[in-house]
Amino acid sequence: MTVPGESAPSTAPSTDAAPMTALRRHRALTRIWASDPGWKGWFTTVNHTDLGRMFLSVAVFFFVVGGILAMLIRAQLASPRSAFVGPDVYNQLFTMHGTLMMFLFAIPLFEGFAVYLLPKLLGTRDLAFPRLTAYGFWCYVFGGSMLIFSMLAGIAPDSGWFMYPPLSSTLGSPGINSDFWLIGITFVEISAIAAAVEITVTILRYRAPGMRLSQMPIFAWYALVTAVMILTGFPPLILGSILLELERAFGLPFFQVADGGDALLWQHLFWLFGHPEVYIIFLPAAGAISTIIPVMARTRLMGYGWIVAAAVSLGVLSFGLWVHHMFTTGIPHMGLAFFSAASTLVAVPTAVQIFAWIGTMWRGRPELHLPMLWILGFFATFVIGGLTGVMVAVVPFDWQVHDTYFIVAHLHYVLIGGFVFPMLGALYYWMPHFIGRKSYFKIGPTAFWLVFAGFHGTFLLLHWAGLLGMRRRIDTYESGQGWEAINILASVSSFVMAIGFALVLVDIVVNAVVSVRGSRNPWGAGTLEWAMPTPAAAYNFASLPVVTSRDPLYDDPELPARIARGEGYLGDPVRGRRETLSLDISTGRPAYIVVYPGNTAMPMAMAAVTGLFFLGLLVKAYWLVPLAALGVAGFALNWVRALGARREEGALPAGQGLSLPTASEVPDPPGWWGSLFLLLADGTLFGSLLFGYAFLFTIAPNWPPPAWAEPGAGVALAALGGAALVGAGRLTRGGAGAVVTLAGLVALALACLLMLRHAPDPTAHAYDATLWVLTGYALFHLSVAALMAGALFARRRAGIVSARIGGEGRILDLWAGYAALVTLIGLAVTAAPGVLG
Amino acid sequence: MHPAGPAAAAISRLWWVLLVGATLIFGFVMALIALAWRRPAGTGDERRFVIGLGLAFPLTVLAALLAYALVLGERLLPRPGPDVVTVRAEASQWIWRFGYPDAEGRATENVLHIPAATPVDVEITTTDVVHSFWVPRLAGKLDAVPGHVNVLRIETDGPGEFAGLGSEYNGPGYAGHRFTVIAHAPEDWAAFLAGDLP
């Protein structure tokens, strides 16, 4: 591992020996940036190009598995009274089909594209937190493996991908099946949150020097909106999964109506995630479309500003319409009308984008290359899906078709038409970049037509089956209801579609292996990812170019050569370590030099230990859980240890006569920004917990609880005193600050423990369960902040520059302040009814 | 769709309106795309596409649609009336039990008796997991949620038998979770309440 701040290795290039030609620069940078050679490189790489390809490959693997499940489903439904599989197996099939496609294919495929493309589009050398990329990837692989194992062992989740309790709880599913879902998916979601934090910080702070936000490639805007949506959309699901697992494993009755819970709480939490999820899936595809259409039409994108505004408003609106999945749960009609209006309103920003894309085609001269073919397939399919979407947003119509094959057809039009088709277009568009080769064998169009025809053959008439009363999720049906012809046609067509997808795979593999090398920038695009040789070098850009427009390659066709000649920033790898620039958010002025860590197997090892934590919960080996948690904490400390130098470097030359400090000598290092956005997700989870408490308080039938907790004055005293100390720690400079903060955190923890002494058994009532969870949440964050305070104190004494100068102190302030805040709120809201009433 | 009651008929009419509208819009969009290949480059006007087609067009269509749907939805709600009959539906894995406040003590399994051509309020509950009550030819569906009672208004045009379905996934017996609704002429309904019909 390269520890920054140590002297450069002996292989470091020297500037005085020979003039730095482009080739020498390439070799020098490659020595610094390359992943380890051979199989070892797979496990120690932290390079976004490698990890992006790995994400994409694993996501495609899960698409194949999910697709095989879909084929089994269609085989079962091809004829009435089918005896192919029984309901037990069938229920696992459709549950796992939905789960794999949503969580293990769609989201990771976006992550893969973003991880691979963003630094290249934005003109930087890697993502903000390379080790975090690797950690997220391995969490995804290990969590996904858990679900695959459950399927092979025949104990896969079988309560539907939406996991409604009580069916998914101990009452309806006493076996381990549901636990695989709750624990495995939560494990996988670590990768989504990690990627989202990383994408957000990268887009805001890691771009080519001079690139303003308004000059970013349009894909970056979409990725930014998507990432922020993941940070605010996934926490409700993670919270719901934790609560349901607590109910299943320890009897905390959050969803059991008899003890003050409510099954509807799960539906709210699930769809609070589930609807934004649809746009989290669609927006990256829209980003790809917005990138590809102008290039294919030899023009520039129409209405860039409008499209950004549309993407942002889609993101915001999508959080206001989760209830449209719950139109049939008995919510008052005027409430439904509000959500119905919000649901139809999302058609507006969608229409803005669609017509801007069509306008772009009118403005230019569209050419029918393979990526464009897939995008035309998208238009034909997605517009139908959007129109049926407006239909089901209409409340009375939804009452009729809810939970029928009409919905199945609608969602496949939206997800396959709106995500898979454009993403395949994107795959073909960027394939020359991924593999550096020409597309040689011409099976692509054949594959497209098979998929396109197969898709519509499968799903178009299934709308009608839904109108004829065919419910979703039935494992078999009787003949004589007019469904037979539709179903056999759908099954046959689905196999045609599967053959088409298989051909796409064959096409990609064959081209990747045997095709001839292609030219750079085969489509004649204007964005920066084409300003490098393909396949991409490990360092992306030999020097960081100054960018002042959206299509820098159109302004200056010589740019790739100038980058290679080192006519940008950080073009001289004299310091022998991985460096890039971080910018001011809005102006794009270079702010400081970021020094990245080198190759390491630590992210994978940490993901494995994280996996042991989840595995312990899954198999109820609870002794393993605290051990694994300690292991993760140990890795986290080690993770930080590698950052920061012992001696001050001051301002370093960054090229072009500019001198900048390194990240360890500034008050807002990348870790501060990462913490900020991680806390955004964390705060959303806490907010969802408060929402759940308020929901149960006001809606659940069996409230109030038998008794409220009535903590003494000691709790209030310890809590307020602790919070005051944490506040004082912020203001105290030097090593004493960390100690004061630590004392405050301990006092707050004491308040929590006192509260729990007054608290009744958490299994007695949902109120008691909520109290324990809120207090446990506070204790967890207090422990994390205390660990950070201790580490900061130790690092100061060891003379680590970043701990002394203030960047790390501000990170601690964020976490300690957050922990104090959630402790105060948690204690206040649980104690209030007892104290006031 | 073969509606057999006023609610289902209204929803059916709504569907045909939606289908025709959607088909027209789909054809329009596809034609616009095809024209991109036929017209000379440089003809796209940003204001016309983004503001005219992107904003104004969907806002107009959606406003009209929402107003229609809101009025329709309000009409379908259970409103108190002089001749409304109430029945109870209690779902379990995988059986439906029905009760009749007009004749306490009468209970039926998997068969719901109602008077024909009369507004009927079904009070829907569950003893275990979430279920949903749906008679496709009569009305939309409504969920049975533990601890809550949801009320659905159904009404037939005349006497007859109608298939009913549990339509929220509820485990291995889901496909077979059905019931039958029998709508009686007035004299038969009186006989049923009196216990003369099985």
Side-chain angles (χ1 to χ4, degrees):
Chain A
M1 185 193 314
T2 310
V3 178
E6 288 175 2
S7 62
S10 57
T11 50
S14 62
T15 39
D16 46 29
M20 199 60 157
T21 62
L23 188 60
R24 279 168 185 279
R25 179 172 291 102
H26 168 69
R27 288 190 180 140
L29 282 165
T30 300
R31 256 196 308 277
I32 297 171
W33 287 83
S35 300
D36 291 328
W39 60 269
K40 197 179 156 218
W42 293 80
F43 304 109
T44 60
T45 184
V46 290
N47 182 286
H48 79 98
T49 303
D50 292 343
L51 285 163
R53 289 200 186 107
M54 287 153 77
F55 255 116
L56 290 173
S57 310
V58 178
V60 168
F61 165 78
F62 281 112
F63 180 69
V64 171
V65 177
I68 291 171
L69 296 179
M71 294 302 100
L72 296 176
I73 291 173
R74 282 317 318 171
Q76 166 77 3
L77 293 179
S79 59
R81 309 198 121 212
S82 170
F84 178 53
V85 294
D88 294 323
V89 173
Y90 186 79
N91 295 345
Q92 294 186 22
L93 288 181
F94 75 72
T95 300
M96 289 304 287
H97 168 69
T99 303
L100 290 185
M101 289 303 196
M102 288 301 225
F103 295 105
L104 298 177
F105 163 64
I107 299 295
L109 192 79
F110 157 66
E111 288 163 20
F113 266 103
V115 163
Y116 181 90
L117 282 176
L118 275 178
K120 297 175 167 60
L121 282 166
L122 293 170
T124 187
R125 282 176 173 159
D126 207 325
L127 292 163
F129 308 105
R131 291 179 301 177
L132 190 63
T133 324
Y135 176 66
F137 172 76
W138 291 109
C139 285
Y140 164 48
V141 169
F142 295 148
S145 309
M146 277 188 187
L147 287 161
I148 295 285
F149 169 81
S150 74
M151 215 157 54
L152 295 177
I155 45 175
D158 56 359
S159 315
W161 85 285
F162 44 88
M163 294 283 292
Y164 280 4
L167 182 65
S168 60
S169 189
T170 37
L171 174 71
S173 311
I176 198 174
N177 309 46
S178 294
D179 300 314
F180 270 108
W181 196 98
L182 296 168
I183 290 170
I185 292 301
T186 303
F187 190 15
V188 170
E189 289 333 324
I190 291 179
S191 76
I193 298 288
V197 167
E198 172 130 85
I199 288 166
T200 311
V201 177
T202 303
I203 293 172
L204 292 181
R205 303 268 350 217
Y206 293 70
R207 306 189 295 269
M211 184 190 277
R212 294 165 170 276
L213 285 177
S214 60
Q215 289 162 344
M216 291 199 302
I218 189 76
F219 184 83
W221 272 109
Y222 277 103
L224 181 62
V225 174
T226 309
V228 174
M229 287 178 72
I230 289 178
L231 292 178
T232 45
F234 275 60
L237 173 72
I238 296 173
L239 174 74
S241 301
I242 293 172
L243 298 186
L244 185 50
E245 185 56 32
L246 284 173
E247 172 173 310
R248 288 179 54 85
F250 305 109
L252 273 58
F254 291 103
F255 307 106
Q256 289 171 10
V257 70
D259 295 322
D262 196 329
L264 282 181
L265 172 60
W266 170 270
Q267 298 193 20
H268 281 289
L269 290 174
F270 186 84
W271 291 115
L272 206 46
F273 143 81
H275 204 80
E277 158 89 346
V278 176
Y279 293 89
I280 289 170
I281 289 174
F282 170 64
L283 284 173
I289 296 165
S290 298
T291 307
I292 297 170
I293 285 184
V295 177
M296 293 290 138
R298 319 236 57 84
T299 181
R300 300 191 189 206
L301 183 62
M302 177 187 281
Y304 176 97
W306 283 102
I307 288 188
V308 171
V312 172
S313 50
L314 260 187
V316 173
L317 278 174
S318 71
F319 283 91
L321 34 93
W322 79 94
V323 171
H324 78 210
H325 296 265
M326 300 168 64
F327 280 167
T328 65
T329 56
I331 292 168
H333 187 239
M334 275 302 146
L336 297 186
F338 171 81
F339 285 101
S340 172
S343 305
T344 48
L345 212 55
V346 294
V348 176
T350 312
V352 166
Q353 294 171 77
I354 289 198
F355 287 111
W357 293 330
I358 297 176
T360 307
M361 290 196 277
W362 275 51
R363 187 191 266 177
R365 198 178 295 281
E367 294 170 5
L368 206 57
H369 301 293
L370 194 48
M372 195 62 183
L373 201 54
W374 282 105
I375 286 179
L376 290 181
F378 149 81
F379 275 113
T381 311
F382 183 76
V383 170
I384 295 178
L387 289 166
T388 54
V390 171
M391 294 181 188
V392 296
V394 174
V395 176
F397 187 68
D398 185 71
W399 285 340
Q400 190 67 21
V401 298
H402 182 76
D403 268 317
T404 69
Y405 265 82
F406 191 91
I407 302 291
V408 174
H410 158 69
L411 75 91
H412 283 90
Y413 267 80
V414 176
L415 292 175
I416 296 187
F419 180 75
V420 177
F421 287 4
M423 282 317 217
L424 282 171
L427 202 60
Y428 276 112
Y429 177 77
W430 277 296
M431 193 140 84
H433 201 288
F434 292 141
I435 61 177
R437 292 168 196 267
K438 275 199 169 81
S439 183
Y440 181 68
F441 295 92
K442 302 294 177 198
I443 43 183
T446 315
F448 167 79
W449 286 110
L450 284 177
V451 170
F452 187 76
F455 173 83
H456 288 275
T458 307
F459 289 107
L460 189 60
L461 284 178
L462 281 182
H463 287 109
W464 193 249
L467 291 174
L468 291 177
M470 183 169 170
R471 293 169 290 162
R472 298 172 79 168
R473 306 186 181 107
I474 49 173
D475 59 299
T476 182
Y477 54 92
E478 301 292 323
S479 52
Q481 302 179 85
W483 308 343
E484 292 96 328
I486 296 175
N487 275 294
I488 186 72
L489 176 71
S491 293
V492 171
S493 303
S494 73
F495 280 86
V496 173
M497 176 164 49
I499 293 168
F501 280 126
L503 273 188
V504 171
L505 271 183
V506 170
D507 192 27
I508 291 170
V509 171
V510 166
N511 276 306
V513 174
V514 301
S515 189
V516 294
R517 289 195 73 85
S519 58
R520 181 188 286 194
N521 199 1
W523 309 113
T527 39
L528 275 178
E529 81 274 29
W530 300 105
M532 61 180 69
T534 52
Y539 54 83
N540 282 347
F541 299 94
S543 62
L544 302 179
V546 175
V547 171
T548 51
S549 83
R550 284 175 206 151
D551 296 294
L553 285 189
Y554 290 160
D555 304 337
D556 179 9
E558 284 302 300
L559 189 63
R562 296 206 292 113
I563 291 173
R565 285 201 301 267
E567 295 175 21
Y569 291 95
L570 295 178
D572 288 318
V574 283
R575 290 182 285 273
R577 58 189 188 189
R578 301 183 183 183
E579 291 182 343
T580 195
L581 288 180
S582 177
L583 316 177
D584 181 74
I585 291 182
S586 58
T587 63
R589 253 199 314 273
Y592 51 80
I593 298 174
V594 175
V595 182
Y596 287 127
N599 300 326
T600 165
M602 193 170 67
M604 192 188 73
M606 182 159 152
V609 176
T610 313
L612 287 182
F613 176 87
F614 287 103
L615 196 65
L617 289 172
L618 179 65
V619 300
K620 307 208 185 299
Y622 293 121
W623 56 270
L624 186 58
V625 175
L627 288 183
L630 277 180
V632 172
F635 270 110
L637 288 176
N638 195 36
W639 187 291
V640 183
R641 203 176 59 85
L643 295 169
R646 281 171 199 279
R647 62 183 167 79
E648 232 168 294
E649 293 184 289
L652 300 174
Q656 310 302 305
L658 186 71
S659 284
L660 293 171
T662 62
S664 59
E665 295 172 31
V666 294
D668 63 333
W672 186 84
W673 288 93
S675 295
L676 190 68
F677 288 105
L678 185 55
L679 284 176
L680 171 66
D682 204 352
T684 311
L685 186 124
F686 184 69
S688 310
L689 185 54
L690 293 180
F691 164 79
Y693 180 42
F695 177 83
L696 291 178
F697 205 114
T698 51
I699 307 277
N702 289 313
W703 279 63
W708 301 106
E710 291 182 30
V715 173
L717 212 62
L720 292 174
L725 280 174
V726 170
R730 288 176 85 93
L731 303 174
T732 316
R733 294 200 155 266
V739 178
V740 175
T741 303
L742 189 59
L745 295 169
V746 171
L748 284 162
L750 199 68
C752 291
L753 294 175
L754 276 174
M755 182 74 177
L756 290 183
R757 269 196 49 199
H758 290 281
D761 177 9
T763 62
H765 191 270
Y767 165 75
D768 308 313
T770 309
L771 186 152
W772 277 80
V773 170
L774 274 167
T775 316
Y777 178 87
L779 277 170
F780 171 74
H781 284 82
L782 293 169
S783 317
V784 170
L787 196 66
M788 295 172 95
L792 178 63
F793 186 71
R795 282 164 71 77
R796 269 181 169 284
R797 305 205 75 178
I800 302 286
V801 175
S802 48
R804 198 173 71 235
I805 286 189
E808 292 186 20
R810 291 188 66 222
I811 297 175
L812 172 65
D813 288 346
L814 268 185
W815 286 91
Y818 180 79
L821 188 70
V822 295
T823 308
L824 288 184
I825 295 177
L827 291 175
V829 297
T830 44
V835 173
L836 302 176
Chain B
M1 286 168 93
H2 312 286
I11 293 174
S12 176
R13 202 157 44 240
L14 173 65
W15 154 245
W16 290 110
V17 171
L18 290 172
L19 178 65
V20 171
T23 310
L24 290 176
I25 294 173
F26 177 73
F28 172 64
V29 175
M30 290 304 114
L32 274 184
I33 293 175
L35 278 176
W37 262 265
R38 308 216 132 240
R39 299 180 62 104
T43 47
D45 172 37
E46 182 170 325
R47 287 176 62 86
R48 193 183 306 162
F49 272 96
V50 175
I51 300 177
L53 290 172
L55 283 176
F57 168 58
L59 277 173
T60 318
V61 173
L62 292 177
L65 180 61
L66 277 176
Y68 173 32
L70 186 63
V71 171
L72 177 62
E74 285 289 310
R75 274 219 314 269
L76 299 182
L77 290 183
R79 300 242 175 262
D83 55 348
V84 176
V85 171
T86 300
V87 296
R88 285 192 297 265
E90 185 188 82
S92 306
Q93 284 176 320
W94 290 273
I95 190 169
W96 286 90
R97 295 190 184 85
F98 299 101
Y100 306 88
D102 293 335
E104 287 299 348
R106 284 235 64 164
T108 53
E109 283 186 0
N110 292 337
V111 181
L112 169 63
H113 298 267
I114 57 169
T118 309
V120 176
D121 280 354
V122 188
E123 297 177 349
I124 304 161
T125 55
T126 168
T127 60
D128 42 41
V129 303
V130 178
H131 301 274
S132 192
F133 177 98
W134 187 32
V135 188
R137 292 186 61 200
L138 296 185
K141 58 183 72 64
L142 197 58
D143 291 355
V145 184
H148 297 262
V149 179
N150 286 330
V151 181
L152 178 72
R153 168 72 52 90
I154 58 175
E155 185 176 347
T156 65
D157 290 331
E161 287 196 14
F162 307 94
L165 301 165
S167 58
E168 177 66 54
Y169 171 66
N170 56 16
Y174 179 52
H177 197 221
R178 331 147 167 277
F179 56 93
T180 307
V181 177
I182 303 178
H184 297 284
E187 58 279 9
D188 289 342
W189 174 242
F192 169 77
L193 289 181
D196 296 341
L197 277 180

